[in-house]
Amino acid sequence: MKTIIIDPVTRIEGHAKITIDLNEDGSVEDARLHVTQYRGFEKFCEGKIYTDMPALTARTCGICPVSHVISSSKACDTLLSVTPPKAAINIRKIVNLAQIIQSHTLNFYHLSSPDFVYGFDAPKEDRNIFKLMQTHPKMAKDGIELRAFGQKIIESLAGKRIHPTGIIPGGVSNILEIEVKEKLLQEIPRAMKIAQNTLKYFKENLHKFQKEIDSFASFSSLFMAIVGEDGSLEHYDGVLRFIDSEGNVLNEAIDPQNYKEFIGEAVEDDSYLKSPYYKPLGYPQGMYRVGALARLNVATKCGTPLADEELKNFKALGRGKPVQNSFYYHYARIIEIIYGLEKIEQLLRDEDTLSENIVARGKINVSRGVGCSEAPRGTLFHDYQVDSNGIIEKVNLIIATGNNNLAMNAGVKQVAKAFIDPANITDGALNRVEAVIRCFDPCLSCSTHALGIVSSQIELRDHHKKIIKIFARN
Amino acid sequence: MKVIIGYGNELRGEDGFGVEVIRKLQFLIPKDIKLISAFCLTPELILEMLDADEIIFVDACYDEENHYALACSILKNGSNLSHHIQPQILMALMRDVYEKKVDYSIYSMLTCNFEMIEDTQKYYKCIDKVTSFLIV
């Protein structure tokens, strides 16, 4: 049997599929996520001038282009050996947090909320955004409003909602106008109210999902995130920290420029997504998780009052250890939305942000620059090698989602083993296999931001890896 | 008020059709028509459309057999919500969430090339045709 699925091709920029392998007894032996598209950014950026890199690499993604622009610009800052002025750094931080708000909002309200509202076993015709619009229009409206606020900040400060052009090597290209600042500040209380209502809703309904909490990629792993000098939550600048599943700090303060000493990148035959791992433990034992869950596990505090208050509740779930259940990515993302709004307010109120000194100029001073920041889905690395004229000779990108590849695969396997009964495969079980991936909110060049089709298809294979059934998930 | 939304990725060859049309329209169309160009359709675009009484989407649409044909209201398969949602989903959001029903149409150029502009002459002719049609 052969199934060819052509989805709306004009907009799809990525594909993934899941394979579930059965053993000789007919029970689930293994399950894997395969990213079946090749994009080649690392290769086709070679030969370009470094100043083009922020705009070029932003096109990696339509959801988190800001992260690419920021990591790219930071790599270029290093090439120029310049430190952007404080106003520029503040503006970059605001824009980065705005993107985290809009991206996390998209995941919660538009992609994952049907599962929360109707349950994982609800008929699939009900488990979608259309039904949600009809039964919970306020929730749908809140999602639109909160996301629009994030987009508005990006547009106001960086020029465009998607693929912004205002963040450049050495700083930013536009000052923050006082009128813009006041307008944005006025809208924060409303956005915060929505975020807090979201948190309340999520916590009130959490008890319904104990089985999913226990089985959705709930296992021991390392965690990696950027933290500030004092160990606080940080998304723009800082040092890399690895902790183990007990909460022990393995590496407290890795300079992102030296990431290659600690992160290896394995390549599997059946996926174009690389599998980064923690080098000292080797592959695949060095599996680690990144993203909102990892950031809150690694950080000792958020540094803003409301987020810190909720962080205590979050950390209590781990009973003194890191929270291992990937279902809580959803919880962590909501806390980060609250943090983002608080932090944006702080940064907007900082008088230095209004300064007209927004860019540091320079020429190529070093031949290699690494830019690292926290994207919505995790730590993002841009590593450029240039010649003396600033022409790109080599590029290495570790995309946030890629860091989670090993963990996503382990999660898919865990859920398949827990929920898939090969003799009676239900839609609810298949939905859970996809939903575990949605916990990580992967961005396989954006295409997996799809409700109900995290994968285009799920293949069931026998112990000879022969396909015995294909479930088209759209 | 009429709102015209052209969307697509200009780095993906003929996928940038909708954006090109908007670029051309901005010099030709009366000011009371709102023009929006976007990389992709996103839910919050609705907030830009709430005061519209007619909405036109301009897009490139996958078709292997009728390259450079122009079509109105091609409905694509599927109804998935993603960051690149379809016009129908935006309109359903408007109807169900904002209780606003607006007439809309989709103008599409059919293409199977999302890597490059295959025939520049034909491609720009399509842009001219749709632009001319929309300014009438």
Side-chain angles (χ1 to χ4, degrees):
Chain A
M1 178 175 143
K2 187 180 175 188
T3 301
I4 299 171
I5 299 167
I6 302 174
D7 223 48
V9 180
T10 49
R11 295 286 161 267
I12 288 262
E13 292 190 4
H15 284 283
K17 70 172 181 180
I18 292 167
T19 53
I20 299 171
D21 293 333
L22 307 180
N23 58 25
E24 287 186 48
D25 305 332
S27 54
V28 174
E29 172 77 19
D30 196 7
R32 283 184 60 78
L33 169 74
H34 310 260
V35 178
T36 55
Q37 70 158 163
Y38 177 76
R39 304 197 71 207
F41 270 79
E42 289 170 334
K43 208 63 199 162
F44 68 64
C45 285
E46 289 175 7
K48 305 285 181 192
I49 184 83
Y50 76 98
T51 46
D52 283 354
M53 291 302 281
L56 262 180
T57 54
R59 301 287 173 151
T60 311
C61 184
I63 283 289
C64 45
V66 169
S67 300
H68 288 286
V69 171
I70 283 179
S71 280
S72 180
S73 295
K74 286 179 71 182
C76 294
D77 296 344
T78 308
L79 294 172
L80 302 175
S81 303
V82 298
T83 303
K86 192 179 176 201
I89 290 176
N90 282 0
I91 289 170
R92 285 181 178 185
K93 284 181 174 180
I94 293 169
V95 174
N96 196 34
L97 289 167
Q99 182 202 233
I100 281 171
I101 290 168
Q102 63 90 358
S103 176
H104 286 357
T105 302
L106 180 76
N107 178 278
F108 184 84
Y109 282 98
H110 300 307
L111 306 181
S112 299
S113 61
D115 288 334
F116 303 142
V117 171
Y118 307 115
F120 290 90
D121 289 312
K124 64 180 170 190
E125 51 274 22
D126 286 352
R127 207 179 50 230
N128 58 57
I129 191 71
F130 294 106
K131 183 79 177 176
L132 192 82
M133 285 186 250
Q134 287 158 9
T135 62
H136 293 69
K138 188 181 174 304
M139 188 181 240
K141 211 183 261 188
D142 281 352
I144 289 169
E145 207 177 316
L146 192 53
R147 209 178 113 82
F149 182 56
Q151 296 284 51
K152 185 177 180 179
I153 294 173
I154 296 168
E155 187 177 29
S156 304
L157 272 63
K160 280 163 70 184
R161 292 174 198 178
I162 301 174
H163 305 140
T165 51
I167 295 165
I168 55 173
V172 295
S173 55
N174 301 307
I175 60 164
L176 172 64
E177 304 280 355
I178 195 151
E179 299 78 17
V180 172
K181 167 188 160 172
E182 294 304 330
K183 255 187 189 168
L184 296 176
L185 281 172
Q186 277 171 16
E187 292 187 36
I188 285 180
R190 169 73 188 139
M192 182 60 86
K193 197 175 173 196
I194 295 174
Q196 286 179 310
N197 285 342
T198 310
L199 179 66
K200 187 167 175 275
Y201 174 87
F202 182 76
K203 287 170 75 175
E204 281 174 359
N205 288 279
L206 208 46
H207 66 278
K208 298 176 189 167
F209 303 107
Q210 197 52 53
K211 201 171 175 194
E212 286 78 15
I213 290 168
D214 292 340
S215 60
F216 274 24
S218 177
F219 42 62
S220 297
S221 78
L222 310 183
F223 294 94
M224 179 186 77
I226 292 177
V227 288
E229 282 177 9
D230 57 353
S232 58
L233 183 63
E234 177 61 55
H235 295 84
Y236 175 78
D237 215 354
V239 291
L240 291 169
R241 181 176 288 179
F242 276 93
I243 62 168
D244 67 15
S245 56
E246 296 293 308
N248 302 308
V249 177
L250 301 180
N251 296 94
E252 195 168 343
I254 300 168
D255 180 345
Q257 301 291 321
N258 303 326
Y259 77 96
K260 278 192 171 176
E261 291 174 29
F262 299 91
I263 299 173
E265 294 179 82
V267 177
E268 293 282 354
D269 289 342
D270 55 9
S271 179
Y272 282 119
L273 189 60
K274 292 188 283 189
S275 301
Y277 61 96
Y278 178 62
K279 259 187 184 172
L281 290 185
Y283 177 76
Q285 292 79 9
M287 172 178 79
Y288 61 86
R289 280 178 272 182
V290 297
L293 183 83
R295 287 192 286 260
L296 295 195
N297 274 332
V298 172
T300 51
K301 61 178 180 178
C302 290
T304 59
L306 295 174
D308 269 331
E309 200 180 311
E310 200 53 45
L311 184 67
K312 283 181 204 157
N313 299 327
F314 173 85
K315 291 219 179 253
L317 294 168
R319 298 187 185 122
K321 294 178 182 176
V323 177
Q324 301 290 345
N325 321 65
S326 293
F327 193 87
Y328 288 130
Y329 264 102
H330 295 297
Y331 189 7
R333 279 192 281 269
I334 301 170
I335 297 173
E336 281 202 327
I337 291 174
I338 290 172
Y339 166 81
L341 291 167
E342 288 183 294
K343 195 75 187 170
I344 286 171
E345 183 170 5
Q346 281 180 10
L347 290 162
L348 283 173
R349 291 193 188 284
D350 183 344
E351 285 303 312
D352 289 340
T353 313
L354 289 169
S355 167
E356 291 185 5
N357 182 17
I358 51 171
V359 65
R361 311 271 179 202
K363 290 182 179 174
I364 294 293
N365 271 303
V366 292
S367 61
R368 181 173 170 245
V370 176
C372 176
S373 65
E374 284 291 337
R377 291 150 198 87
T379 320
L380 171 66
F381 297 88
H382 279 224
D383 181 354
Y384 306 153
Q385 186 98 34
V386 294
D387 68 11
S388 56
N389 296 313
I391 302 298
I392 298 286
E393 292 180 328
K394 201 173 173 189
V395 177
N396 190 46
L397 307 174
I398 299 183
I399 306 297
T401 292
N403 288 300
N404 277 331
N405 195 15
L406 287 173
M408 283 193 291
N409 273 298
V412 168
K413 184 175 176 179
Q414 187 182 39
V415 172
K417 278 180 171 275
F419 291 97
I420 297 281
D421 171 6
N424 178 29
I425 297 177
T426 64
D427 185 68
L430 293 174
N431 182 39
R432 284 179 174 85
V433 174
E434 292 180 341
V436 68
I437 300 172
R438 272 203 291 278
C439 287
F440 292 90
D441 189 23
C443 189
L444 310 173
S445 76
C446 316
S447 72
T448 50
H449 266 282
L451 183 71
I453 57 151
V454 164
S455 60
S456 299
Q457 62 187 46
I458 295 177
E459 292 177 359
L460 191 66
R461 306 192 299 196
D462 67 13
H463 62 286
H464 297 299
K465 298 209 185 283
K466 185 181 165 198
I467 296 171
I468 49 180
K469 193 161 187 181
I470 295 175
F471 302 90
R473 296 294 293 156
N474 58 345
Chain B
M1 189 182 66
K2 190 192 276 188
V3 174
I4 305 176
I5 303 173
Y7 59 101
N9 182 350
E10 291 171 277
L11 291 187
R12 296 197 65 201
E14 294 175 359
D15 191 43
F17 175 73
V19 177
E20 290 274 13
V21 168
I22 295 295
R23 187 169 290 138
K24 189 149 191 188
L25 279 174
Q26 67 183 323
F27 301 107
L28 305 167
I29 222 136
K31 281 186 177 163
D32 59 345
I33 295 179
K34 193 191 273 186
L35 298 175
I36 299 172
S37 69
F39 175 73
C40 51
L41 298 181
T42 50
E44 64 278 2
L45 267 177
I46 286 179
L47 302 178
E48 307 273 359
M49 295 154 40
L50 288 177
D51 50 358
D53 46 37
E54 186 190 353
I55 297 169
I56 293 170
F57 296 92
V58 186
D59 185 21
C61 184
Y62 186 80
D63 189 289
E64 283 185 350
E65 290 171 5
N66 301 293
H67 203 168
Y68 297 120
L70 294 169
C72 186
S73 293
I74 287 264
L75 296 181
K76 297 169 199 160
N77 295 325
S79 58
N80 307 302
L81 179 75
S82 71
H83 71 277
H84 37 62
I85 59 181
Q86 297 162 18
Q88 297 90 326
I89 296 180
L90 277 184
M91 302 316 294
L93 267 168
M94 275 187 82
R95 186 192 62 222
D96 294 340
V97 179
Y98 293 92
E99 294 170 355
K100 194 164 165 48
K101 203 171 173 198
V102 183
D103 290 334
Y104 76 102
S105 43
I106 307 168
Y107 287 78
S108 305
M109 181 193 75
L110 307 189
T111 172
C112 55
N113 201 332
F114 294 95
E115 301 304 321
M116 57 186 286
I117 296 170
E118 198 171 295
D119 185 325
T120 312
Q121 215 174 354
K122 284 183 181 170
Y123 178 68
Y124 285 103
K125 203 172 170 187
C126 286
I127 291 169
D128 288 344
K129 268 190 186 173
V130 171
T131 306
S132 312
F133 193 80
L134 288 172
I135 56 174
V136 174

